[in-house]
Amino acid sequence: MAPLTSYNPVFLALLATIFTWLVTALGASLVYLTKTVNRKLLDISLGFAAGIMIAASFWSLLAPAIELSSSMDNLSWFPASFGFLIGAFFLAGIDKIVPHLHMGQPLKEAEGPKTTWHKNRLLLMAVTIHNIPEGLAVGIAFGALALNMSVDSLMAAIVLALGIGIQNFPEGIAVSFPLRGEGLSKNKSFFYGQLSAIVEPIAGVLGAFLVTIFTPLLPYALSFAAGAMMFVVIEDIIPECQREGNIDSATIAAIFGFIVMMILDVALG
């Protein structure tokens, strides 16, 4: 087996984000099996995904950012706080400049600049925007290996990719099935469902490349990804999984998602 130092962090980030993209495609592929999905089960799955993202934001991103800041003789809280805020504001800014529509909302409630885009494209853009921080998170975690290429660090990055992959499965379902319900064919519904996650390998490679070149930015980059992911959870996933009234079920699922990701990160990462 080749030594760990022989592996390129950017290439590993590409492989990891291709994996998360493929899991999204796997979720979207269920549209070939049935035209509808049990709404309560979908809400539970989305709640579980929200819990995973919340846990990953802290255990896989913020906590390492704080630890790295301390080792670099910085104020341990500043890079994490600053990066977290910038990550959230970055997603809020993207929301303002890119036309999109959240699932379950009427066309008149589309956000961003006015456009003649049809509803399906607006729905796709909403999910695509919110996949950016997931790809960044995985890419930055693997890019961090340039600073510390160890088995523990590699496992931590792999665990994060696994967690993001798990929560991408219901996201693929959440995109493809509404499109199918809007009258699109199975092929188009699947195509757009998986296409929403194609941005993850792009963001992942970019994030990994930047932190390998500018390693002092790593604590800020980790917390940036955390802030962006938390914005997605609060602004999109939680409202979506509670929209049909399955509030308690989705909330309990989020608790379990948090626990699963915490166990994965602490036990394996």
Side-chain angles (χ1 to χ4, degrees):
M1 182 177 177
L4 288 179
T5 52
S6 66
Y7 292 100
N8 186 313
V10 178
F11 179 67
L12 293 177
L14 174 62
L15 294 180
T17 47
I18 287 176
F19 162 75
T20 62
W21 169 35
L22 290 177
V23 178
T24 305
L26 183 62
S29 70
L30 294 186
V31 78
Y32 287 107
L33 303 180
T34 178
K35 188 173 182 179
T36 60
V37 63
N38 183 283
R39 183 67 214 193
K40 185 173 183 178
L41 181 60
L42 177 58
D43 289 343
I44 289 173
S45 300
L46 288 172
F48 188 81
I52 285 179
M53 291 182 71
I54 293 170
S57 294
F58 177 74
W59 296 101
S60 299
L61 299 170
L62 279 176
I66 293 170
E67 185 178 349
L68 277 170
S69 298
S70 298
S71 67
M72 293 177 177
D73 297 324
N74 295 325
L75 290 173
S76 59
W77 55 267
F78 180 76
S81 301
F82 183 76
F84 191 85
L85 282 173
I86 297 301
F89 282 121
F90 172 77
L91 259 290
I94 294 292
D95 268 4
K96 298 295 184 184
I97 63 175
V98 178
H100 63 284
L101 177 68
H102 295 292
M103 294 293 175
Q105 293 183 338
L107 187 58
K108 65 181 181 180
E109 294 185 16
E111 299 180 20
K114 297 297 181 182
T115 179
T116 57
W117 288 359
H118 55 71
K119 186 176 182 179
N120 295 331
R121 181 177 293 184
L122 291 169
L123 290 170
L124 176 64
M125 285 306 302
V127 182
T128 302
I129 290 169
H130 291 167
N131 276 325
I132 293 173
E134 297 170 13
L136 277 175
V138 175
I140 291 168
F142 277 93
L145 298 176
L147 189 64
N148 177 27
M149 178 62 85
S150 65
V151 174
D152 287 344
S153 298
L154 178 60
M155 283 302 300
I158 291 173
V159 165
L160 177 59
L162 178 62
I164 296 298
I166 291 172
Q167 68 88 38
N168 271 1
F169 185 80
E171 284 191 358
I173 298 173
V175 178
S176 61
F177 277 87
L179 294 177
R180 180 70 174 135
E182 291 287 332
L184 267 69
S185 67
K186 291 180 181 180
N187 287 338
K188 285 188 176 180
S189 298
F190 167 75
F191 176 75
Y192 288 125
Q194 62 81 30
L195 187 65
S196 66
I198 190 63
V199 71
E200 291 191 11
I202 299 170
V205 168
L206 178 62
F209 176 75
L210 289 177
V211 297
T212 56
I213 300 298
F214 306 105
T215 52
L217 291 179
L218 184 55
Y220 296 91
L222 287 167
S223 51
F224 176 94
M229 287 218 301
M230 284 299 297
F231 183 91
V232 170
V233 171
I234 296 169
E235 197 239 9
D236 189 31
I237 298 181
I238 290 178
E240 172 63 18
C241 70
Q242 297 184 347
R243 181 169 55 85
E244 297 295 327
N246 298 311
I247 298 174
D248 288 346
S249 299
T251 301
I252 294 299
I255 298 298
F256 276 103
F258 185 97
I259 291 171
V260 167
M261 187 64 202
M262 180 181 68
I263 291 172
L264 286 174
D265 209 302
V266 175
L268 300 179

